[in-house]
Amino acid sequence: MSERSVISVVDSVRILEGGGFPVRRPFPTQRLMQVDPFLLLDHLGPVTWGPGEGIGAPDHPHRGFETVTYLLSGGFQHKDSAGHAGKLAPGDVQWMTAGSGVVHSELPSDEFMRNGGVMHGFQIWVNLPARDKMIKPHYQEIPGTEIPQAISADGKVKVRVIAGESLGLSAVIKTRTPITFLHFTIQPGGELEQAVPAGYSALVYQISGEVQAGKEQKLVCEGQMARLGDGDVVRLAVASSDATLPADLLLLAGQPLNEPVARYGPFVMNTREEIEQAFGDYQSGHMGHIAS
Ligand code: MN
């Protein structure tokens, strides 16, 4: 077994996305375009909206990759050009394979707009290999109650297994290429070693609290992302001596595609010609419209 090191700790940039909601984004930035196969990591909020104030992302297209939405607090509703619609509650995951293209809207739920509240969650973009970029759009919508959840023997580590495997549990979500997506909550004094196959890209994103990550036990704070070097196991710990709060974090890992990336806004393909084709198909209505 070889333990992975932290090779860099990246601060998120704070920006407004969609119709103007605040996100923290460790990538893509000018300095780091992707962590192959991951194209984007957006930490939405937590942001408190009053009644009628919630902001989402009105009608927009995607082609060539997958969008994964994981909600921690609040409520979202989505609709697409194929007539698909659904809702997301806290704990729920929507894994949308955009493939050849959808036009969709991602908006605060009617109930959230009525009552206001705290919106908090994630959107992660997972690239599709060239062979899958034009497949038929597909959804996996998993309620929080069906996301496998395990607690360590000492009770100090909780994991929600969104993709991949942890603490003896396997995810219910199926991925097109090997992906690990775990949400850990580690109490002070808790630690774990998570297997991550050698050769996978891997990162830790700190949602709240602080964690000591990797072989050198490097400190990672809220809103920071640690990129991990190669190896087959990742050590995560929260020292009881200096932490009073649990650490909440995501561990993402995946087999890199090692393919050319041509990206422009909501389209991620392999060549510039394919991006132009995507724009043409969107503008001529080939990705459809959302029925009102
Ligand atoms: Mn979208």
Side-chain angles (χ1 to χ4, degrees), residues 179-216:
I179 302 282
T180 298
F181 181 167
L182 305 171
H183 176 185
F184 284 106
T185 306
I186 308 172
Q187 299 299 325
E191 63 178 312
L192 74 133
E193 287 195 338
Q194 171 65 42
V196 175
Y200 282 24
S201 304
L203 64 90
V204 168
Y205 178 80
Q206 194 66 21
I207 306 170
S208 63
E210 298 176 351
V211 75
Q212 281 94 31
K215 195 175 182 175
E216 295 81 11

mmCIF file of all heavy atoms in Angstrom, residues 179-216:
data_model
loop_
_atom_site.group_PDB
_atom_site.id
_atom_site.type_symbol
_atom_site.label_atom_id
_atom_site.label_comp_id
_atom_site.label_asym_id
_atom_site.label_seq_id
_atom_site.Cartn_x
_atom_site.Cartn_y
_atom_site.Cartn_z
ATOM 1 N N ILE A 179 -15.561 6.213 -11.085
ATOM 2 C CA ILE A 179 -15.600 7.447 -10.296
ATOM 3 C C ILE A 179 -15.855 7.087 -8.825
ATOM 4 O O ILE A 179 -16.660 6.209 -8.536
ATOM 5 C CB ILE A 179 -16.773 8.370 -10.748
ATOM 6 C CG1 ILE A 179 -16.668 8.744 -12.238
ATOM 7 C CG2 ILE A 179 -16.891 9.609 -9.847
ATOM 8 C CD1 ILE A 179 -15.674 9.821 -12.559
ATOM 9 N N THR A 180 -15.186 7.806 -7.933
ATOM 10 C CA THR A 180 -15.469 7.728 -6.495
ATOM 11 C C THR A 180 -15.956 9.101 -6.058
ATOM 12 O O THR A 180 -15.331 10.114 -6.378
ATOM 13 C CB THR A 180 -14.180 7.377 -5.715
ATOM 14 O OG1 THR A 180 -13.724 6.095 -6.155
ATOM 15 C CG2 THR A 180 -14.429 7.345 -4.216
ATOM 16 N N PHE A 181 -17.097 9.145 -5.372
ATOM 17 C CA PHE A 181 -17.666 10.407 -4.876
ATOM 18 C C PHE A 181 -18.203 10.091 -3.481
ATOM 19 O O PHE A 181 -19.217 9.421 -3.339
ATOM 20 C CB PHE A 181 -18.759 10.891 -5.821
ATOM 21 C CG PHE A 181 -19.436 12.203 -5.443
ATOM 22 C CD1 PHE A 181 -20.231 12.852 -6.375
ATOM 23 C CD2 PHE A 181 -19.299 12.793 -4.192
ATOM 24 C CE1 PHE A 181 -20.879 14.047 -6.070
ATOM 25 C CE2 PHE A 181 -19.928 13.989 -3.874
ATOM 26 C CZ PHE A 181 -20.726 14.614 -4.817
ATOM 27 N N LEU A 182 -17.458 10.529 -2.459
ATOM 28 C CA LEU A 182 -17.805 10.207 -1.069
ATOM 29 C C LEU A 182 -17.959 11.496 -0.275
ATOM 30 O O LEU A 182 -17.198 12.439 -0.458
ATOM 31 C CB LEU A 182 -16.689 9.356 -0.445
ATOM 32 C CG LEU A 182 -16.325 8.067 -1.211
ATOM 33 C CD1 LEU A 182 -15.070 7.436 -0.623
ATOM 34 C CD2 LEU A 182 -17.488 7.081 -1.198
ATOM 35 N N HIS A 183 -18.945 11.521 0.615
ATOM 36 C CA HIS A 183 -19.141 12.648 1.536
ATOM 37 C C HIS A 183 -18.860 12.138 2.944
ATOM 38 O O HIS A 183 -19.612 11.317 3.470
ATOM 39 C CB HIS A 183 -20.585 13.168 1.405
ATOM 40 C CG HIS A 183 -20.908 14.264 2.385
ATOM 41 N ND1 HIS A 183 -22.177 14.803 2.493
ATOM 42 C CD2 HIS A 183 -20.155 14.926 3.299
ATOM 43 C CE1 HIS A 183 -22.180 15.745 3.434
ATOM 44 N NE2 HIS A 183 -20.964 15.828 3.938
ATOM 45 N N PHE A 184 -17.750 12.621 3.515
ATOM 46 C CA PHE A 184 -17.351 12.184 4.866
ATOM 47 C C PHE A 184 -17.690 13.244 5.904
ATOM 48 O O PHE A 184 -17.511 14.447 5.663
ATOM 49 C CB PHE A 184 -15.834 11.964 4.932
ATOM 50 C CG PHE A 184 -15.359 10.703 4.274
ATOM 51 C CD1 PHE A 184 -14.705 10.742 3.052
ATOM 52 C CD2 PHE A 184 -15.558 9.465 4.886
ATOM 53 C CE1 PHE A 184 -14.252 9.578 2.452
ATOM 54 C CE2 PHE A 184 -15.109 8.292 4.295
ATOM 55 C CZ PHE A 184 -14.454 8.353 3.070
ATOM 56 N N THR A 185 -18.133 12.798 7.064
ATOM 57 C CA THR A 185 -18.231 13.657 8.247
ATOM 58 C C THR A 185 -17.388 12.992 9.327
ATOM 59 O O THR A 185 -17.653 11.845 9.704
ATOM 60 C CB THR A 185 -19.686 13.820 8.706
ATOM 61 O OG1 THR A 185 -20.460 14.291 7.592
ATOM 62 C CG2 THR A 185 -19.800 14.816 9.859
ATOM 63 N N ILE A 186 -16.333 13.700 9.749
ATOM 64 C CA ILE A 186 -15.377 13.108 10.708
ATOM 65 C C ILE A 186 -15.411 13.908 12.005
ATOM 66 O O ILE A 186 -15.177 15.122 12.008
ATOM 67 C CB ILE A 186 -13.943 13.123 10.125
ATOM 68 C CG1 ILE A 186 -13.931 12.484 8.726
ATOM 69 C CG2 ILE A 186 -12.976 12.397 11.065
ATOM 70 C CD1 ILE A 186 -12.591 12.631 8.003
ATOM 71 N N GLN A 187 -15.710 13.232 13.084
ATOM 72 C CA GLN A 187 -15.758 13.889 14.400
ATOM 73 C C GLN A 187 -14.330 14.091 14.918
ATOM 74 O O GLN A 187 -13.409 13.361 14.525
ATOM 75 C CB GLN A 187 -16.546 13.020 15.404
ATOM 76 C CG GLN A 187 -17.998 12.762 15.003
ATOM 77 C CD GLN A 187 -18.819 14.028 14.891
ATOM 78 O OE1 GLN A 187 -18.626 14.979 15.653
ATOM 79 N NE2 GLN A 187 -19.737 14.065 13.926
ATOM 80 N N PRO A 188 -14.124 15.063 15.819
ATOM 81 C CA PRO A 188 -12.790 15.234 16.422
ATOM 82 C C PRO A 188 -12.300 13.902 16.996
ATOM 83 O O PRO A 188 -13.053 13.195 17.668
ATOM 84 C CB PRO A 188 -13.035 16.261 17.527
ATOM 85 C CG PRO A 188 -14.201 17.067 17.023
ATOM 86 C CD PRO A 188 -15.083 16.078 16.303
ATOM 87 N N GLY A 189 -11.048 13.564 16.675
ATOM 88 C CA GLY A 189 -10.492 12.283 17.119
ATOM 89 C C GLY A 189 -10.721 11.161 16.125
ATOM 90 O O GLY A 189 -10.230 10.056 16.314
ATOM 91 N N GLY A 190 -11.446 11.447 15.046
ATOM 92 C CA GLY A 190 -11.739 10.407 14.050
ATOM 93 C C GLY A 190 -10.698 10.385 12.947
ATOM 94 O O GLY A 190 -10.078 11.408 12.640
ATOM 95 N N GLU A 191 -10.487 9.210 12.385
ATOM 96 C CA GLU A 191 -9.596 9.109 11.227
ATOM 97 C C GLU A 191 -9.953 7.898 10.393
ATOM 98 O O GLU A 191 -10.636 6.989 10.871
ATOM 99 C CB GLU A 191 -8.130 9.054 11.655
ATOM 100 C CG GLU A 191 -7.748 7.865 12.475
ATOM 101 C CD GLU A 191 -6.250 7.895 12.814
ATOM 102 O OE1 GLU A 191 -5.432 8.121 11.894
ATOM 103 O OE2 GLU A 191 -5.912 7.684 13.975
ATOM 104 N N LEU A 192 -9.488 7.918 9.145
ATOM 105 C CA LEU A 192 -9.770 6.791 8.267
ATOM 106 C C LEU A 192 -8.736 6.698 7.175
ATOM 107 O O LEU A 192 -8.010 7.657 6.897
ATOM 108 C CB LEU A 192 -11.150 6.937 7.627
ATOM 109 C CG LEU A 192 -11.232 7.985 6.521
ATOM 110 C CD1 LEU A 192 -11.949 7.432 5.315
ATOM 111 C CD2 LEU A 192 -11.925 9.220 7.040
ATOM 112 N N GLU A 193 -8.686 5.512 6.587
ATOM 113 C CA GLU A 193 -7.890 5.313 5.383
ATOM 114 C C GLU A 193 -8.849 4.840 4.314
ATOM 115 O O GLU A 193 -9.514 3.820 4.465
ATOM 116 C CB GLU A 193 -6.810 4.266 5.633
ATOM 117 C CG GLU A 193 -5.703 4.798 6.507
ATOM 118 C CD GLU A 193 -4.453 3.926 6.473
ATOM 119 O OE1 GLU A 193 -4.570 2.735 6.125
ATOM 120 O OE2 GLU A 193 -3.384 4.437 6.799
ATOM 121 N N GLN A 194 -8.958 5.631 3.251
ATOM 122 C CA GLN A 194 -9.864 5.306 2.160
ATOM 123 C C GLN A 194 -9.049 4.794 0.974
ATOM 124 O O GLN A 194 -8.127 5.471 0.522
ATOM 125 C CB GLN A 194 -10.669 6.552 1.760
ATOM 126 C CG GLN A 194 -11.487 6.402 0.483
ATOM 127 C CD GLN A 194 -12.606 5.375 0.609
ATOM 128 O OE1 GLN A 194 -13.301 5.304 1.627
ATOM 129 N NE2 GLN A 194 -12.798 4.552 -0.424
ATOM 130 N N ALA A 195 -9.437 3.636 0.479
ATOM 131 C CA ALA A 195 -8.775 3.114 -0.719
ATOM 132 C C ALA A 195 -9.204 3.914 -1.943
ATOM 133 O O ALA A 195 -10.389 4.193 -2.118
ATOM 134 C CB ALA A 195 -9.144 1.641 -0.913
ATOM 135 N N VAL A 196 -8.223 4.324 -2.735
ATOM 136 C CA VAL A 196 -8.481 4.992 -4.025
ATOM 137 C C VAL A 196 -7.511 4.361 -5.009
ATOM 138 O O VAL A 196 -6.299 4.462 -4.819
ATOM 139 C CB VAL A 196 -8.219 6.511 -3.944
ATOM 140 C CG1 VAL A 196 -8.370 7.152 -5.315
ATOM 141 C CG2 VAL A 196 -9.145 7.188 -2.944
ATOM 142 N N PRO A 197 -8.011 3.682 -6.032
ATOM 143 C CA PRO A 197 -7.106 2.948 -6.923
ATOM 144 C C PRO A 197 -5.985 3.814 -7.480
ATOM 145 O O PRO A 197 -6.200 4.980 -7.821
ATOM 146 C CB PRO A 197 -8.039 2.474 -8.045
ATOM 147 C CG PRO A 197 -9.389 2.385 -7.397
ATOM 148 C CD PRO A 197 -9.423 3.521 -6.407
ATOM 149 N N ALA A 198 -4.789 3.257 -7.553
ATOM 150 C CA ALA A 198 -3.632 3.960 -8.125
ATOM 151 C C ALA A 198 -3.968 4.373 -9.553
ATOM 152 O O ALA A 198 -4.655 3.664 -10.276
ATOM 153 C CB ALA A 198 -2.418 3.041 -8.104
ATOM 154 N N GLY A 199 -3.506 5.555 -9.930
ATOM 155 C CA GLY A 199 -3.744 6.052 -11.283
ATOM 156 C C GLY A 199 -4.949 6.973 -11.381
ATOM 157 O O GLY A 199 -5.061 7.747 -12.317
ATOM 158 N N TYR A 200 -5.870 6.900 -10.402
ATOM 159 C CA TYR A 200 -7.015 7.813 -10.413
ATOM 160 C C TYR A 200 -6.554 9.208 -9.990
ATOM 161 O O TYR A 200 -5.747 9.349 -9.071
ATOM 162 C CB TYR A 200 -8.070 7.388 -9.381
ATOM 163 C CG TYR A 200 -8.973 6.237 -9.748
ATOM 164 C CD1 TYR A 200 -8.603 5.272 -10.675
ATOM 165 C CD2 TYR A 200 -10.216 6.108 -9.116
ATOM 166 C CE1 TYR A 200 -9.446 4.213 -10.963
ATOM 167 C CE2 TYR A 200 -11.060 5.044 -9.409
ATOM 168 C CZ TYR A 200 -10.676 4.097 -10.333
ATOM 169 O OH TYR A 200 -11.510 3.060 -10.603
ATOM 170 N N SER A 201 -7.113 10.244 -10.631
ATOM 171 C CA SER A 201 -6.999 11.594 -10.099
ATOM 172 C C SER A 201 -7.802 11.615 -8.801
ATOM 173 O O SER A 201 -8.837 10.953 -8.707
ATOM 174 C CB SER A 201 -7.627 12.614 -11.047
ATOM 175 O OG SER A 201 -7.069 12.547 -12.326
ATOM 176 N N ALA A 202 -7.356 12.393 -7.810
ATOM 177 C CA ALA A 202 -8.100 12.431 -6.553
ATOM 178 C C ALA A 202 -7.964 13.786 -5.888
ATOM 179 O O ALA A 202 -6.920 14.443 -5.995
ATOM 180 C CB ALA A 202 -7.608 11.326 -5.611
ATOM 181 N N LEU A 203 -9.029 14.201 -5.221
ATOM 182 C CA LEU A 203 -9.033 15.491 -4.524
ATOM 183 C C LEU A 203 -9.949 15.416 -3.303
ATOM 184 O O LEU A 203 -10.859 14.590 -3.232
ATOM 185 C CB LEU A 203 -9.502 16.610 -5.465
ATOM 186 C CG LEU A 203 -10.934 16.543 -5.991
ATOM 187 C CD1 LEU A 203 -11.907 17.280 -5.069
ATOM 188 C CD2 LEU A 203 -11.022 17.144 -7.388
ATOM 189 N N VAL A 204 -9.656 16.314 -2.357
ATOM 190 C CA VAL A 204 -10.509 16.491 -1.176
ATOM 191 C C VAL A 204 -11.001 17.924 -1.202
ATOM 192 O O VAL A 204 -10.201 18.850 -1.389
ATOM 193 C CB VAL A 204 -9.700 16.240 0.115
ATOM 194 C CG1 VAL A 204 -10.462 16.709 1.344
ATOM 195 C CG2 VAL A 204 -9.344 14.757 0.237
ATOM 196 N N TYR A 205 -12.308 18.115 -1.058
ATOM 197 C CA TYR A 205 -12.848 19.480 -0.950
ATOM 198 C C TYR A 205 -13.468 19.639 0.445
ATOM 199 O O TYR A 205 -14.330 18.848 0.846
ATOM 200 C CB TYR A 205 -13.913 19.765 -2.022
ATOM 201 C CG TYR A 205 -14.470 21.162 -1.848
ATOM 202 C CD1 TYR A 205 -13.769 22.263 -2.324
ATOM 203 C CD2 TYR A 205 -15.648 21.383 -1.128
ATOM 204 C CE1 TYR A 205 -14.229 23.556 -2.105
ATOM 205 C CE2 TYR A 205 -16.117 22.667 -0.907
ATOM 206 C CZ TYR A 205 -15.398 23.749 -1.405
ATOM 207 O OH TYR A 205 -15.847 25.027 -1.177
ATOM 208 N N GLN A 206 -13.029 20.672 1.165
ATOM 209 C CA GLN A 206 -13.458 20.854 2.549
ATOM 210 C C GLN A 206 -14.735 21.716 2.604
ATOM 211 O O GLN A 206 -14.707 22.891 2.251
ATOM 212 C CB GLN A 206 -12.325 21.512 3.346
ATOM 213 C CG GLN A 206 -12.522 21.449 4.840
ATOM 214 C CD GLN A 206 -12.463 20.020 5.378
ATOM 215 O OE1 GLN A 206 -11.912 19.119 4.763
ATOM 216 N NE2 GLN A 206 -13.061 19.801 6.532
ATOM 217 N N ILE A 207 -15.831 21.119 3.041
ATOM 218 C CA ILE A 207 -17.122 21.828 3.110
ATOM 219 C C ILE A 207 -17.169 22.713 4.349
ATOM 220 O O ILE A 207 -17.561 23.879 4.297
ATOM 221 C CB ILE A 207 -18.304 20.823 3.153
ATOM 222 C CG1 ILE A 207 -18.232 19.843 1.970
ATOM 223 C CG2 ILE A 207 -19.636 21.565 3.185
ATOM 224 C CD1 ILE A 207 -19.209 18.677 2.081
ATOM 225 N N SER A 208 -16.774 22.153 5.488
ATOM 226 C CA SER A 208 -16.701 22.929 6.735
ATOM 227 C C SER A 208 -15.764 22.223 7.693
ATOM 228 O O SER A 208 -15.478 21.034 7.540
ATOM 229 C CB SER A 208 -18.097 23.114 7.353
ATOM 230 O OG SER A 208 -18.626 21.865 7.706
ATOM 231 N N GLY A 209 -15.267 22.979 8.684
ATOM 232 C CA GLY A 209 -14.281 22.420 9.607
ATOM 233 C C GLY A 209 -12.928 22.292 8.913
ATOM 234 O O GLY A 209 -12.672 22.922 7.887
ATOM 235 N N GLU A 210 -12.058 21.496 9.509
ATOM 236 C CA GLU A 210 -10.695 21.308 8.987
ATOM 237 C C GLU A 210 -10.327 19.835 9.060
ATOM 238 O O GLU A 210 -10.773 19.134 9.961
ATOM 239 C CB GLU A 210 -9.686 22.078 9.844
ATOM 240 C CG GLU A 210 -9.895 23.570 9.849
ATOM 241 C CD GLU A 210 -8.937 24.306 10.785
ATOM 242 O OE1 GLU A 210 -8.221 23.631 11.567
ATOM 243 O OE2 GLU A 210 -8.921 25.538 10.713
ATOM 244 N N VAL A 211 -9.489 19.410 8.121
ATOM 245 C CA VAL A 211 -9.048 18.019 8.132
ATOM 246 C C VAL A 211 -7.547 17.964 7.872
ATOM 247 O O VAL A 211 -7.003 18.859 7.218
ATOM 248 C CB VAL A 211 -9.832 17.182 7.084
ATOM 249 C CG1 VAL A 211 -9.354 17.476 5.657
ATOM 250 C CG2 VAL A 211 -9.747 15.697 7.391
ATOM 251 N N GLN A 212 -6.888 16.950 8.414
ATOM 252 C CA GLN A 212 -5.497 16.673 8.056
ATOM 253 C C GLN A 212 -5.532 15.590 6.985
ATOM 254 O O GLN A 212 -6.039 14.491 7.236
ATOM 255 C CB GLN A 212 -4.686 16.186 9.261
ATOM 256 C CG GLN A 212 -4.243 17.299 10.202
ATOM 257 C CD GLN A 212 -5.209 17.501 11.364
ATOM 258 O OE1 GLN A 212 -5.847 16.561 11.811
ATOM 259 N NE2 GLN A 212 -5.328 18.723 11.833
ATOM 260 N N ALA A 213 -4.996 15.929 5.807
ATOM 261 C CA ALA A 213 -5.142 15.032 4.663
ATOM 262 C C ALA A 213 -3.805 14.533 4.160
ATOM 263 O O ALA A 213 -2.809 15.257 4.177
ATOM 264 C CB ALA A 213 -5.877 15.756 3.535
ATOM 265 N N GLY A 214 -3.797 13.294 3.706
ATOM 266 C CA GLY A 214 -2.646 12.722 3.023
ATOM 267 C C GLY A 214 -1.543 12.272 3.960
ATOM 268 O O GLY A 214 -1.630 12.383 5.184
ATOM 269 N N LYS A 215 -0.489 11.754 3.319
ATOM 270 C CA LYS A 215 0.659 11.168 4.017
ATOM 271 C C LYS A 215 1.261 12.149 5.028
ATOM 272 O O LYS A 215 1.616 11.770 6.139
ATOM 273 C CB LYS A 215 1.700 10.847 2.954
ATOM 274 C CG LYS A 215 2.799 9.936 3.350
ATOM 275 C CD LYS A 215 3.610 9.683 2.060
ATOM 276 C CE LYS A 215 4.744 8.730 2.285
ATOM 277 N NZ LYS A 215 5.401 8.445 0.978
ATOM 278 N N GLU A 216 1.388 13.437 4.633
ATOM 279 C CA GLU A 216 2.013 14.439 5.514
ATOM 280 C C GLU A 216 1.007 15.099 6.436
ATOM 281 O O GLU A 216 1.349 16.043 7.155
ATOM 282 C CB GLU A 216 2.742 15.504 4.688
ATOM 283 C CG GLU A 216 3.934 14.979 3.907
ATOM 284 C CD GLU A 216 3.551 14.303 2.588
ATOM 285 O OE1 GLU A 216 2.372 14.440 2.185
ATOM 286 O OE2 GLU A 216 4.398 13.626 1.984
#
